[in-house]
Amino acid sequence: MTQAPDPICPLCLRPIPPDVAQSRHHLVPKLRGGKGGPTVLLHAICHAEIHATLTETELARDYPTMEALRAHPRLAKFAGWVASRPPGFRSRIPGPRRSR
């Protein structure tokens, strides 16, 4: 029996092994009409960076796809940085939150 390959994080493009912290991201936030809409599996650190960077309104209005999220300057920089870390990498200190 062949084991299925680990899913790939659509933000950083690293594998997501089963023992690594992970979470589902609603491409359109539930509070902005995305309940029941498409979701993607991400590393927990990648998911946290998305929500530290963008508001729910910005996510719904301007970033409803992974292509749009990867094109965001801060998220592109983050994805490039974290891509060289092992799949289980977790930062103890989160990056600075977006300004409100």
Side-chain angles (χ1 to χ4, degrees):
M1 184 163 121
T2 307
Q3 184 178 359
D6 292 333
I8 301 297
C9 177
L11 185 65
C12 70
L13 306 178
R14 296 177 300 152
I16 309 173
D19 61 336
V20 169
Q22 53 191 269
S23 59
R24 289 226 160 256
H25 171 67
H26 285 82
L27 290 173
V28 174
K30 291 188 286 185
L31 295 175
R32 297 288 180 258
K35 186 175 182 182
T39 63
V40 293
L41 183 66
L42 301 166
H43 290 104
I45 190 173
C46 295
H47 195 194
E49 188 66 20
I50 289 170
H51 286 282
T53 302
L54 298 162
T55 65
E56 302 235 330
T57 299
E58 290 168 326
L59 284 166
R61 184 184 60 221
D62 301 322
Y63 299 95
T65 66
M66 285 310 304
E67 293 77 19
L69 288 168
R70 281 193 303 270
H72 185 281
R74 176 175 161 163
L75 294 176
K77 183 177 178 182
F78 169 80
W81 172 79
V82 81
S84 65
R85 271 77 183 162
F89 175 78
R90 302 225 19 192
S91 176
R92 288 187 286 163
I93 303 171
R97 301 277 302 173
R98 64 182 171 263
S99 58
R100 299 233 180 220

